[in-house]
Structures are given as C-alpha cells and as structure tokens.
Amino acid sequence: MRLHVVDHPLVAHKLTVLRDETTASPTFRLLVDELVTLLAYEATRDIATEPHEVKTPVTTMTGTRLASPPPLVVPILRAGLGMLDGMSRLLPTAEVGFLGLVRDEETFKAVTYANRLPDDLTGRHVFLIDPMLATGGTLVAAIDYVLERGAREVTAVCLLAAPEGIKALEEHVGDRLNLSVVVAAVDERLNEKAYIVPGLGDAGDRLYGIV
C-alpha cells in the first residue's frame, strides 16, 4: 500500500477552513470540491495511458491518451457524493458507480445499504472517494467489493486519515492489491466514538445537514 499525503499550501489552507466549526455548509461543499480537484491531480499521477496518434495543424505526432477500459470513480454514499464533482472534473471520461455504506455507531462496522457497481471490473482502475478514513472499515468493505469484481488497481482519495485506519487497510490488503491512498492530512488519532481527532466532524452532516 502506498500512502501519499499531499503537501501543498492550497491544500493546507482549504483544509484548515474545512476544520473550522463555523464554516457553513455551502462554503464547506465548495471547499471540498476544490480540495478534491487538487487531490485528484496527485491521485491520477500513475493512471494508465497509451500512445495515440493525432494530426496537428502542422504535422502528425504520437501523443498520449487514457488507456482502456476507462477508470471507474466510486463515491461512498452519502458523504462521498460531495467529492464526485471534484474527481469528475479531472476525469470526465470516467464512469461512475455508487456504493452505500454506513457505519454502525455501536460496533463501528460498515453496513452496506446500496450497490450500483458493474458486475465485471476486470482490468479497471477504481477510484474510491470518501472524506474520512477513520477506522478503515468502510474502505475495507469497498475494496473487497471491487476486488471481487476483478478490479486491477484501487486508489482511495480521502480528505483526512487516522493512523488506525491506515493500519487497518495495510493489514487487510497485504499484497493482494495494488492500493494507493491519497489524503490531505493524517491526523493524530481516533477518539472513543471513532471520530478523527482533530478532524472536521461528520463530513456528511457538514456537507448536507443532519437528516
């Protein structure tokens, strides 16, 4: 597993505003969108490409295009929806799947309530997007879903991660998968309620309100 913490002044600035409890939902949504676009730039650095010949106004040359099959972007519902536009902006040709997972607040285990993924992901590069990598349970479940369908490579894009979640992913994945995790920051720890500290609170609630 490869962990990449994006060290950039704009990332740090936007993340600081997201952490502020006084930041309202409309501003929070806008900043998440902008921050994910910056993270997506790093997350796609090793995306598969292939040569492609084009004719310019001057001559013919061999350029580069994204290889087939197209990548698949999978937001983890509901908070991951707030990250979808930021990813799609850099990967407009990617297909989109949806996976609904919710954390049981007593056991902290991920429970699946929706699955809209292709049955066959053979050879596909899958980008899983979820704001928080806390216990790791949600991403572990999502990774298992796409692995069972034949995904070739998985990149997880998160705003924040806790050391406990990173360790859980490393132990679960082992050498079974080419996994990359791209985050804006790794925070201190989880508290007794399995929230990231210092964190930014419940990302879903701050994006869309408490429902």
Side-chain angles (χ1 to χ4, degrees):
M1 186 184 105
R2 298 186 304 277
L3 174 66
H4 180 44
V5 181
V6 179
D7 182 15
H8 191 284
L10 289 178
V11 170
H13 167 75
K14 294 177 190 297
L15 182 57
T16 299
V17 181
L18 287 178
R19 292 185 190 275
D20 189 337
E21 66 178 3
T22 66
T23 299
S25 287
T27 303
F28 194 92
R29 287 194 295 269
L30 176 63
L31 286 171
V32 167
D33 179 77
E34 293 175 351
L35 183 53
V36 171
T37 300
L38 295 173
L39 298 181
Y41 183 80
E42 295 296 333
T44 54
R45 184 173 295 277
D46 297 322
I47 199 168
T49 60
E50 61 187 12
H52 179 61
E53 187 174 278
V54 295
K55 185 176 181 181
T56 78
V58 180
T59 187
T60 299
M61 66 158 289
T62 300
T64 300
R65 68 179 178 186
L66 297 186
S68 295
L72 180 72
V73 176
V74 180
I76 308 300
L77 305 178
R78 70 178 165 135
L81 280 177
M83 303 173 68
L84 180 57
D85 285 347
M87 284 295 300
S88 298
R89 187 171 296 112
L90 255 64
L91 285 174
T93 60
E95 295 181 348
V96 179
F98 296 93
L99 192 56
L101 294 165
V102 64
R103 186 176 72 173
D104 186 303
E105 294 301 332
E106 293 184 1
T107 65
F108 305 138
K109 300 289 186 180
V111 179
T112 305
Y113 65 87
N115 172 16
R116 292 295 183 269
L117 296 178
D119 291 332
D120 185 7
L121 294 175
T122 302
R124 303 287 289 273
H125 188 162
V126 178
F127 292 86
L128 298 172
I129 52 176
D130 192 16
M132 314 298 278
L133 171 52
T135 64
T138 299
L139 274 180
V140 162
I143 288 168
D144 285 345
Y145 262 98
V146 299
L147 274 183
E148 290 169 2
R149 288 160 174 76
R152 170 183 59 84
E153 185 172 357
V154 175
T155 299
V157 181
C158 305
L159 304 182
L160 292 178
E164 295 90 335
I166 294 169
K167 181 179 180 182
L169 282 187
E170 289 175 333
E171 293 177 348
H172 183 77
V173 171
D175 58 0
R176 298 183 301 138
L177 171 69
N178 185 10
L179 173 66
S180 297
V181 179
V182 178
V183 299
V186 176
D187 275 7
E188 297 173 10
R189 58 183 173 85
L190 297 179
N191 65 14
E192 65 280 359
K193 295 183 178 180
Y195 276 75
I196 298 176
V197 178
L200 50 75
D202 186 298
D205 288 349
R206 298 200 64 191
L207 281 162
Y208 304 117
I210 300 173
V211 295

